[in-house]
Amino acid sequence: MLEMIYFYLPALESVRDFFELGGEVLILIALVTFFMWAMICERLLYLFGPHGRAVQRTVAAWEKRSDRSSWYAKQIRTQMISVVGQALE
């Protein structure tokens, strides 16, 4: 375990030196970047988790309908798409 720490020590020193040269602004940029990636990961987890399941449920509900061609059915389809789209936003 200690050998691994010694292996990464020069790289960590370089990062520390880089942050010292950049000052407080560089720390702020790093925090904002971390927050941005956290938000991106959260959105991806939502897209492939709950949103994907909601889309599958909506498609299944649409496929169960016997009437899919009338004006009324198309309005219901538009409403279903809108509900799933709103959840994404």
Side-chain angles (χ1 to χ4, degrees), residues 1 3 6 24 30 36 51-52 60 62 68-70 72-73 82 84:
M1 178 72 177
E3 294 84 24
Y6 287 130
E24 295 175 4
M36 175 194 70
H51 182 70
W62 176 253
R68 291 187 224 148
S69 60
S70 69
Y72 182 71
S82 177
V84 172

Side-chain angles (χ1 to χ4, degrees), residues 2-75:
L2 198 54
E3 294 84 24
M4 287 177 46
I5 293 172
Y6 287 130
F7 179 75
Y8 290 111
L9 197 56
L12 292 175
E13 288 175 359
S14 298
V15 170
R16 184 198 66 210
D17 293 341
F18 181 68
F19 273 101
E20 286 178 359
L21 288 173
E24 295 175 4
V25 173
L26 196 56
I27 293 172
L28 179 64
I29 291 171
L31 289 173
V32 170
T33 302
F34 175 77
F35 182 71
M36 175 194 70
W37 278 107
M39 296 296 289
I40 290 171
C41 290
E42 184 273 331
R43 280 285 94 185
L44 288 173
L45 287 173
Y46 177 75
L47 279 174
F48 293 114
H51 182 70
R53 289 189 295 272
V55 168
Q56 289 173 349
R57 281 193 308 269
T58 304
V59 169
W62 176 253
E63 293 295 325
K64 283 182 185 179
R65 290 185 55 85
S66 59
D67 173 29
R68 291 187 224 148
S69 60
S70 69
W71 177 87
Y72 182 71
K74 289 180 182 179
Q75 295 304 311

